[in-house]
Amino acid sequence: MALNRAQFVASFLADAHAHVGEMDRCLLLWERLSVGELPAAADLDGCFRAAHTLKGAARMMRFAPVSVLAHKMEDVLSALREQKISWSPRMGDLLFAGLDALRALLDQVASGSGELVEDERLCQALAELAASGGEAGGQKGVANGAPPTSVSERRESETGAAAVTEQVTPAPVVAAEAQAMGEGEGRKSAAPPRLPAMRSLGRSGDATIRMDAEQIDHLLQTVGESLFFRKRIKQRLQEVRQAHAACSRLMEAQSSRQLQSLSNQLQQTATQLAADATLLDQVLDALYTHTLEMRLLPLTTLFDMLPRLVRDLAKASGKEIQLQVRGGETRLDRVIIEKLGDVFLHLLRNAVDHGIELPEKRLQAGKPIQGTIQVLAGTQGGAVTIELRDDGKGIDLQRLQEVAVAKQIVSAGALGQLAHSELLELIFHPGLSTQERVTDLSGRGVGMDVVKRNIVELLQGSIRVESDPGQGTRFLLRLPLTLATVRVLLFRVNGLVLAIPGAAVAEIVAVQEEDLLPVVGGRALRLREQMIPVQALQSILGLSPSLLRLPTERRRLVLVLAHAQGQRGLLCDALVDEEVVVLKPLPYFMRRHPFASGMMISAQNEIVLVLDGLLLCKRMQEMGAETIRQSGESLWQRSTRHILVVDDTRTNREIEQAILQAAGYRVSLAENGEEGYAKAVAEPFDLVVTDVEMPLLDGFSLTRKLRCQERYRHTPIILVTSRDKEEDKRRGIAAGASAYIVKGAFDQSHLVDTVRNLLGE
């Protein structure tokens, strides 16, 4: 019976990528060697063994071009191991070109597209390199019974392996390979370096079972349904307990042996059902944990591909860069890891091309010639955090603003309203690039918008950027552990039960109506000296209160939602439950719902919508801005008074801005003392409102610096702070503050009255 090789392709590809990855790892280590230095024996043996095994497997599968190319690379490694040739950068470039060609062939095998074609020029260059220290590695010395010259051929003679004699047609050499052969000196590759294919990693001897990913998804779906039935059992248990309580009350009213017997039976059933539910809890929790573990992979699956990518990017840009990686043992959903490939490709290209300077520039700046990129991963609060930082020149904020205005992404007038972090967020806008010329790596204005869309929309995570001029840039990613299941909070609004992912909720606060302060654009909650805008969910969803049962109790809950632009409060009536569920897709007639990300089935067999926290936050921000604009637009247009608000908390800035704009003032924002001072020097302001506790430059110091400027010697300056001690007030007045407002006593009218009094209105 003929062997059906098709059923072994998946296994072959998994092993082949593992062998290519091992060779890649070794070559990256060898690049640090001096010319003529011999690599470590263990690494050399491992690299040779990977090439030899790949050659044999490809031959068994009849993928001749893969086998031939691996054979030529094996000959080079054999000659190096036997010290017939010496290590050199040219050898490294040529072997790297071979690995890229192998990956391209394996990708073609995976896609099943077209006939595999051998690159004869690359194979010829490898053969010449192997033979450069002695006889050619591909010729067999069979005269007079002489043994084969190469180790690989000696092994084939000993095992009786047959030679491959298939005819192949030549293919053009890619630019990277031509450069590796010395034919593309001084020329960049036509295509920028790409992230190598990811592979599953495992130590030799690990007990592993290959399982189709779809089977794992089905298993998780089954576990999700089991969790649903567990909820139903608990519901039934509650019903039995209620029946038992009713029976007991009935017995008190009229004694009956039958009622007593029924009561005892219900009590026994309830006890047994409770025990069964406890056991089911334990079993399902274990099943869920083990199933989830099957889906998780270590981040080394991705991180092991990054050194080669950074190496190629650095070489293409003429820079010296070292990559430091920590936290690769952190485990993450395989689906998330797969989608992170493009994210890291863009982030690393950005760091190399925009961040790390050329060696001469680094020397002029007093930095080491070799730049550093760090990738740090870990877990925090049930989520995975990844930080990518470089020690380059940082983001040119001035250039970023100029490009944003030139491309009409933001108006020049609106720039003054943006805080430092908001300006940095402009790099995620489609089509924006600060590069003055287009290169193979960047400059087209695409990439960073893809990064944010993948992180926020596809992976339900968040990304934040920080940058210090001359010191470098940091990207902070926060990702859920898995996308297969989600922990949701069920809550009630006017009788309607809804759900929201728990990851979107920073905390839950119980409030009375009087705790919510009236501000322009709605209401706000003072939480740990911060003002958080609060809106009722029914107004966001556009529900008609007349059709719903109004809440009878005054005590309500605020779900504090956290997102990249700050915090928002969502007002609801009560918290119902917390569950881990497998989200179900919305039916076709609900797929255009503006705020729903999916649905779930409750223990009462009711359909519950799961709302998207990010979309809710965006809508709340739009509604607040719209209300502020409508209420204060005419006054603002007539106003000639310009006020600067300085606060490191975005929500506080927004609240104060809303209050002051509604009172008829023009308002500009700054998110720390240094930024506030720079804006005050750049243009005149009629009054300054500043926080005290801020990074870089606190409110006291900002006040003193402003008083040293002739322009601000008599300008009103208001300190708004949580410090309520008399010594702090005296310190503020001594620094030159015109007024001191404690946040604990802060309200809308107090701020406006103080501003008007100081401006003489």
Side-chain angles (χ1 to χ4, degrees):
M1 183 179 66
L3 178 64
N4 180 15
R5 289 179 172 81
Q7 61 182 318
F8 300 106
V9 170
S11 298
F12 165 76
L13 288 173
D15 291 337
H17 280 299
H19 297 318
V20 171
E22 173 62 16
M23 297 167 70
D24 211 348
R25 182 191 68 82
C26 293
L27 292 179
L28 286 167
L29 291 175
W30 299 350
E31 280 207 314
R32 306 171 190 170
L33 300 176
S34 303
V35 176
E37 188 177 353
L38 191 67
D43 290 331
L44 190 50
D45 288 342
C47 192
F48 173 85
R49 188 163 49 250
H52 178 77
T53 306
L54 176 57
K55 177 196 69 175
R59 182 169 296 177
M60 288 287 293
M61 294 294 295
R62 296 183 181 174
F63 298 136
V66 178
S67 177
V68 170
L69 181 53
H71 188 175
K72 297 304 180 185
M73 296 178 69
E74 179 191 19
D75 284 341
V76 173
L77 295 168
S78 172
L80 180 63
R81 191 165 67 160
E82 295 177 359
Q83 300 186 33
K84 292 181 179 179
I85 57 177
S86 301
W87 170 260
S88 67
R90 178 176 178 272
M91 180 188 297
D93 289 341
L94 196 55
L95 290 173
F96 273 126
L99 290 181
D100 289 340
L102 281 174
R103 284 193 174 99
L105 289 170
L106 294 176
D107 289 345
Q108 196 175 346
V109 170
S111 64
S113 57
E115 181 183 356
L116 299 183
V117 177
E118 174 188 339
D119 189 332
E120 289 189 343
R121 294 180 64 187
L122 179 57
C123 289
Q124 180 63 29
L126 288 166
E128 291 174 358
L129 179 62
S132 61
E135 293 185 83
Q139 299 172 345
K140 292 188 178 182
V142 292
N144 301 321
T149 58
S150 73
V151 173
S152 60
E153 289 166 356
R154 287 201 300 270
R155 289 186 177 180
E156 289 166 5
S157 296
E158 293 165 356
T159 58
V164 176
T165 58
E166 294 184 32
Q167 294 291 326
V168 294
T169 55
V173 182
V174 298
E177 293 161 357
Q179 185 175 351
M181 296 179 214
E183 299 177 7
E185 207 64 44
R187 196 171 65 231
K188 286 186 180 180
S189 169
R194 66 188 183 96
L195 190 68
M198 288 187 293
R199 57 183 175 84
S200 297
L201 302 178
R203 297 180 302 277
S204 177
D206 277 354
T208 60
I209 299 176
R210 286 201 177 102
M211 178 178 288
D212 184 71
E214 191 174 351
Q215 291 177 316
I216 299 178
D217 291 339
H218 286 322
L219 184 57
L220 269 174
Q221 187 71 28
T222 303
V223 173
E225 299 296 340
S226 301
L227 294 173
F228 159 68
F229 283 111
R230 174 179 68 179
K231 193 70 178 177
R232 288 189 61 175
I233 288 178
K234 291 183 176 180
Q235 180 67 25
R236 300 296 170 263
L237 176 60
Q238 182 65 24
E239 293 171 1
V240 170
R241 285 174 174 164
Q242 291 173 355
H244 176 258
C247 189
S248 298
R249 289 194 297 270
L250 189 58
M251 282 192 337
E252 292 176 1
Q254 48 182 342
S255 178
S256 169
R257 290 185 179 181
Q258 290 181 337
L259 286 176
Q260 181 63 50
S261 175
L262 178 59
S263 175
N264 293 339
Q265 184 178 357
L266 284 172
Q267 178 64 46
Q268 184 178 2
T269 302
T271 302
Q272 293 173 345
L273 195 55
D276 291 344
T278 301
L279 289 174
L280 184 61
D281 270 346
Q282 297 172 357
V283 171
L284 287 178
D285 286 343
L287 178 60
Y288 173 74
T289 301
H290 292 319
T291 306
L292 184 60
E293 283 293 322
M294 294 168 61
R295 190 181 174 97
L296 301 183
L297 293 175
L299 276 170
T300 49
T301 310
L302 171 65
F303 288 175
D304 281 358
M305 305 296 105
L306 302 185
R308 171 66 190 282
L309 176 63
V310 172
R311 178 258 184 198
D312 291 346
L313 290 170
K315 196 158 191 175
S317 59
K319 300 175 181 179
E320 296 185 25
I321 302 174
Q322 64 168 332
L323 176 69
Q324 299 175 354
V325 178
R326 291 202 299 271
E329 70 282 356
T330 305
R331 296 173 68 82
L332 194 59
D333 192 314
R334 63 171 180 83
V335 175
I336 297 179
I337 290 180
E338 289 170 0
K339 294 186 184 300
L340 281 178
D342 284 343
V343 169
F344 271 87
L345 178 60
H346 291 303
L347 289 178
L348 288 173
R349 280 182 180 172
N350 198 66
V352 172
D353 208 34
H354 291 271
I356 303 295
E357 310 94 330
L358 289 166
E360 55 270 21
K361 295 279 189 180
R362 292 183 65 84
L363 282 177
Q364 293 173 6
K367 297 181 179 180
I369 291 179
Q370 189 178 56
T372 301
I373 297 176
Q374 293 180 310
V375 179
L376 315 172
T379 56
Q380 183 180 28
V384 171
T385 59
I386 304 176
E387 178 181 341
L388 189 147
R389 63 168 69 175
D390 65 69
D391 66 345
K393 60 186 177 184
I395 296 175
D396 186 342
L397 208 56
Q398 183 62 36
R399 172 67 178 160
L400 185 66
Q401 295 178 71
E402 292 172 358
V403 174
V405 172
K407 291 183 175 290
Q408 298 182 346
I409 293 172
V410 62
S411 66
L415 282 177
Q417 306 292 324
L418 298 179
H420 181 73
S421 61
E422 295 171 306
L423 291 173
L424 289 175
E425 289 283 324
L426 290 173
I427 68 170
F428 295 116
H429 197 283
L432 190 147
S433 175
T434 57
Q435 284 285 71
E436 296 182 357
R437 61 188 179 87
V438 175
T439 70
D440 291 335
L441 299 184
S442 63
R444 295 174 175 83
V446 297
M448 296 309 294
D449 60 316
V450 175
V451 167
K452 186 164 187 178
R453 184 168 64 250
N454 284 354
I455 293 294
V456 175
E457 297 180 10
L458 298 182
L459 302 182
Q460 301 174 23
S462 64
I463 181 169
R464 191 171 82 249
V465 58
E466 299 175 356
S467 185
D468 296 323
Q471 302 301 314
T473 302
R474 301 169 63 215
F475 288 94
L476 305 170
L477 283 65
R478 184 177 177 87
L479 299 160
L481 189 63
T482 178
L483 297 178
T485 59
V486 61
R487 179 178 64 88
V488 298
L489 298 175
L490 284 86
F491 57 94
R492 183 178 292 108
V493 177
N494 290 359
L496 182 65
V497 176
L498 298 166
I500 191 170
V505 181
E507 60 183 301
I508 303 173
V509 183
V511 297
Q512 303 287 343
E513 285 295 328
E514 52 267 27
D515 296 329
L516 301 177
L517 306 176
V519 296
V520 177
R523 290 178 289 179
L525 171 67
R526 185 189 299 116
L527 183 63
R528 291 187 293 276
E529 307 307 334
Q530 294 188 24
M531 299 293 286
I532 298 176
V534 175
Q535 288 176 289
L537 181 59
Q538 57 263 39
S539 65
I540 299 173
L541 298 180
L543 301 176
S544 175
S546 60
L547 301 178
L548 301 172
R549 180 177 59 84
L550 296 176
T552 55
E553 64 251 5
R554 298 181 65 198
R555 184 175 177 274
R556 306 183 72 183
L557 296 178
V558 173
L559 307 181
V560 181
L561 308 184
H563 68 120
Q565 304 302 326
Q567 293 183 324
R568 299 276 168 175
L570 196 66
L571 193 63
C572 64
D573 297 335
L575 190 65
V576 177
D577 205 347
E578 179 182 14
E579 295 186 34
V580 176
V581 300
V582 177
L583 286 187
K584 298 181 179 295
L586 293 168
Y588 73 93
F589 58 86
M590 294 185 62
R591 287 176 187 168
R592 294 183 179 272
H593 194 287
F595 305 114
S597 60
M599 53 173 280
M600 55 169 285
I601 308 297
S602 71
Q604 291 75 33
N605 284 331
E606 296 175 340
I607 296 177
V608 176
L609 281 182
V610 180
L611 303 177
D612 188 308
L614 177 64
L615 295 178
L616 286 173
C617 284
K618 287 182 177 179
R619 180 55 184 154
M620 292 166 72
Q621 191 170 1
E622 291 170 359
M623 292 175 65
E626 184 178 349
T627 305
I628 292 169
R629 185 168 57 253
Q630 290 174 352
S631 61
E633 191 172 40
S634 58
L635 287 173
W636 186 19
Q637 289 173 346
R638 293 198 306 267
S639 175
T640 58
R641 301 285 195 171
H642 195 180
I643 297 176
L644 175 65
V645 172
V646 187
D647 199 304
D648 63 325
T649 302
R650 178 190 171 106
T651 326
N652 290 352
R653 293 195 303 273
E654 287 185 348
I655 293 288
E656 293 170 12
Q657 179 188 28
I659 292 172
L660 294 170
Q661 284 184 352
Y665 299 105
R666 293 171 52 217
V667 179
S668 291
L669 302 176
E671 70 172 27
N672 57 60
E674 281 195 357
E675 184 184 354
Y677 182 75
K679 286 192 173 184
V681 171
E683 63 176 312
F685 290 93
D686 299 293
L687 184 141
V688 177
V689 178
T690 178
D691 186 20
V692 171
E693 296 288 348
M694 294 185 296
L696 303 180
L697 188 69
D698 62 39
F700 294 139
S701 301
L702 172 62
T703 303
R704 282 193 292 268
K705 288 189 69 173
L706 288 176
R707 291 304 185 205
C708 293
Q709 296 284 325
E710 182 62 32
R711 177 188 296 172
Y712 292 99
R713 193 172 300 279
H714 303 293
T715 299
I717 301 177
I718 302 175
L719 293 177
V720 180
T721 176
S722 58
R723 295 187 176 188
D724 57 356
K725 295 182 179 178
E726 285 300 322
E727 58 190 66
D728 293 320
K729 296 179 182 179
R730 286 194 297 269
R731 184 181 173 190
I733 300 302
S738 309
Y740 193 100
I741 299 177
V742 178
K743 288 183 179 179
F746 178 87
D747 60 41
Q748 179 175 343
S749 60
H750 189 183
L751 177 62
V752 173
D753 289 345
T754 304
V755 169
R756 286 174 175 167
N757 288 336
L758 290 174
L759 292 175
E761 297 178 345

